[in-house]
Amino acid sequence: MLVPDFLPRPEDLVFREEGVKVTIALSKRSVDFFKTEARKHNTQYQRMIRRLLDAYADHHVRSRTARASGRRAKAARAS
């Protein structure tokens, strides 16, 4: 199954939002990528990773909500 590209560009991951501290092990490759991009955009790499995860979660919450709305509309039409 091909998934459309919905991920934000690195420069779209630089604004501030409230966070919760967690411990996670990431690949060196990923951390190096985000550190490089963060330097280019004068921000923190952790903040960029957080925004990427937020975008992923938001996308899937919206998809789930849209599917649920579609099922409700279909049920209403069937009534």
Side-chain angles (χ1 to χ4, degrees):
M1 177 179 166
L2 185 60
V3 177
D5 184 12
F6 62 88
L7 297 175
R9 299 170 302 158
E11 56 269 23
D12 294 333
L13 303 174
V14 296
F15 66 86
R16 185 177 210 105
E17 190 172 326
E18 181 183 359
V20 176
K21 295 276 185 184
V22 297
T23 301
I24 185 172
L26 302 173
S27 69
K28 182 177 181 341
R29 177 176 47 113
S30 293
V31 173
D32 288 346
F33 169 80
F34 280 102
K35 283 183 175 182
T36 299
E37 291 300 317
R39 278 191 295 274
K40 288 180 190 176
H41 300 284
N42 195 32
T43 191
Q44 299 171 343
Y45 74 97
Q46 298 98 327
R47 185 174 297 156
M48 293 179 74
I49 294 169
R50 182 172 54 242
R51 277 296 303 132
L52 176 64
L53 293 173
D54 288 346
Y56 181 89
D58 290 346
H59 171 79
H60 286 283
V61 167
R62 284 191 304 270
S63 294
R64 200 173 294 139
T65 302
R67 284 193 306 268
S69 294
R71 284 192 297 269
R72 285 192 298 270
K74 186 177 180 180
R77 285 191 304 268
S79 302

